[in-house]
Amino acid sequence: MYERFIDDRKCEFSIASGKENAVSAIRILEQDNFAGVLAIVDADFCRLEGSLPSSSNLLLTDEHDLEMMLIKSLALDKLLSERGSEYKINKFGQDIRLTLLERGTRIGYLRWVSWKANISLKFEGLSFSKFIDKSTLVIDTGQLIKTVKDNSRKSGLKEQDIQKSIETLEKTAPDSWQLCCGHDIICILSIGLSKVWGSWNTNEVKPDTLERELRLAYEDSYFHSTQLYQLIQQWEINNKPYQVLSPGN
């Protein structure tokens, strides 16, 4: 999505295919005194861990990842106005964005535990229906842990120990926008639009489809209001004559 805001006449845009690749590239280029290079990566748990980048050429997303920036913006409201059922949303009677955040923290804590303990839990390809109530979107934490453990083929892990680790992290009361993974939130949104907030067939509101629609709904003005945008502007000031943003941005 970033390429929409970049002046391709003055800035060459490359996808690093992974955060570690981007960080490594910046490190190598800085060692070689290569000027005018900038990388943008997902914050992930950096802010929660207090491990912010030391390089001024490495910027983080405002929230946990780019998808969370989309969810926080009015792009979500635009999607809901198109995809959601006004009757069902009114009947639900709760703020959908806050509901998504609250549900998503269950998975966010487990991801954080995996990251901190370096136990490499596998979240790709999860069947959310195994641990989420489609009528309320409430997540069964115990079933979530079991599902992820099975998906990761980590039979030696003790679910009780993981639960205790989650409870320890809960006491820190982290910022949900830094904790939740955007992909998880969009998966929950997908389930919600098939029953709680809409009546779509699950194939019509697949997570990949919704993510694409959120990106399309994300307006330039939303990006202009982010800290990331301001940091890119400051980078341009500090690194003249190099330019990243297009004139319209």
Side-chain angles (χ1 to χ4, degrees):
M1 186 185 75
Y2 295 121
E3 56 265 37
R4 285 170 43 190
F5 310 109
I6 290 174
D7 188 342
D8 57 10
R9 297 167 302 174
K10 298 183 178 181
C11 178
E12 181 178 343
F13 178 81
S14 298
I15 297 176
S17 299
K19 183 175 182 177
E20 292 306 316
N21 290 338
V23 173
S24 296
I26 287 293
R27 184 183 304 115
I28 293 171
L29 291 170
E30 287 181 340
Q31 289 174 350
D32 291 341
N33 295 316
F34 193 97
V37 61
L38 174 69
I40 300 171
V41 297
D42 288 340
D44 296 326
F45 298 107
C46 286
R47 291 192 179 92
L48 297 184
E49 289 289 327
S51 56
L52 299 178
S54 57
S55 172
S56 60
N57 297 315
L58 186 62
L59 304 183
L60 303 177
T61 52
D62 286 24
E63 279 66 58
H64 183 95
D65 50 36
L66 175 59
E67 290 74 22
M68 287 304 292
M69 289 179 64
L70 298 177
I71 292 292
K72 193 172 188 178
S73 76
L74 290 175
L76 174 62
D77 302 77
K78 291 170 66 176
L79 183 146
L80 288 172
S81 68
E82 291 291 328
R83 288 288 202 170
S85 160
E86 184 177 358
Y87 170 76
K88 287 192 172 185
I89 290 175
N90 289 335
K91 183 180 179 181
F92 183 70
Q94 300 174 46
D95 185 285
I96 292 179
R97 186 178 279 102
L98 292 180
T99 298
L100 288 169
L101 268 184
E102 193 277 329
R103 304 301 194 263
T105 57
R106 298 295 89 208
I107 313 172
Y109 280 119
L110 184 54
R111 284 183 179 271
W112 196 9
V113 167
S114 176
W115 187 87
K116 285 179 74 71
N118 194 29
I119 54 179
S120 303
L121 292 177
K122 181 183 177 184
F123 292 85
E124 295 78 14
L126 277 183
S127 176
F128 276 57
S129 61
K130 291 183 177 180
F131 54 80
I132 190 169
D133 186 319
K134 293 182 180 180
S135 298
T136 63
L137 302 179
V138 171
I139 289 176
D140 183 322
T141 303
Q143 195 59 40
L144 165 65
I145 294 172
K146 182 181 185 306
T147 301
V148 174
K149 191 182 83 167
D150 292 345
N151 189 57
S152 309
R153 297 184 179 180
K154 300 277 187 177
S155 58
L157 292 176
K158 295 182 178 180
E159 295 171 28
Q160 187 176 10
D161 291 343
I162 295 176
Q163 179 63 51
K164 288 181 179 178
S165 296
I166 289 176
E167 291 171 359
T168 298
L169 291 178
E170 286 178 328
K171 294 176 182 178
T172 66
D175 180 351
S176 296
W177 290 104
Q178 300 298 326
L179 175 66
C180 293
C181 169
H183 176 73
D184 299 334
I185 296 294
I186 293 174
C187 285
I188 298 170
L189 175 63
S190 171
I191 295 172
L193 286 173
S194 67
K195 187 166 186 178
V196 184
W197 304 315
S199 302
W200 294 92
N201 182 289
T202 53
N203 289 325
E204 296 174 311
V205 285
K206 289 181 178 179
D208 288 348
T209 299
L210 295 180
E211 182 178 329
R212 182 170 62 252
E213 292 181 5
L214 283 169
R215 289 172 185 262
L216 290 173
Y218 192 81
E219 299 179 11
D220 291 2
S221 60
Y222 305 162
F223 186 57
H224 295 166
S225 67
T226 66
Q227 181 183 25
L228 177 58
Y229 174 75
Q230 296 172 10
L231 290 173
I232 295 174
Q233 286 185 312
Q234 187 60 51
W235 183 91
E236 290 182 326
I237 293 173
N238 296 337
N239 291 272
K240 291 181 179 179
Y242 299 104
Q243 184 175 325
V244 174
L245 299 170
S246 61
N249 286 298

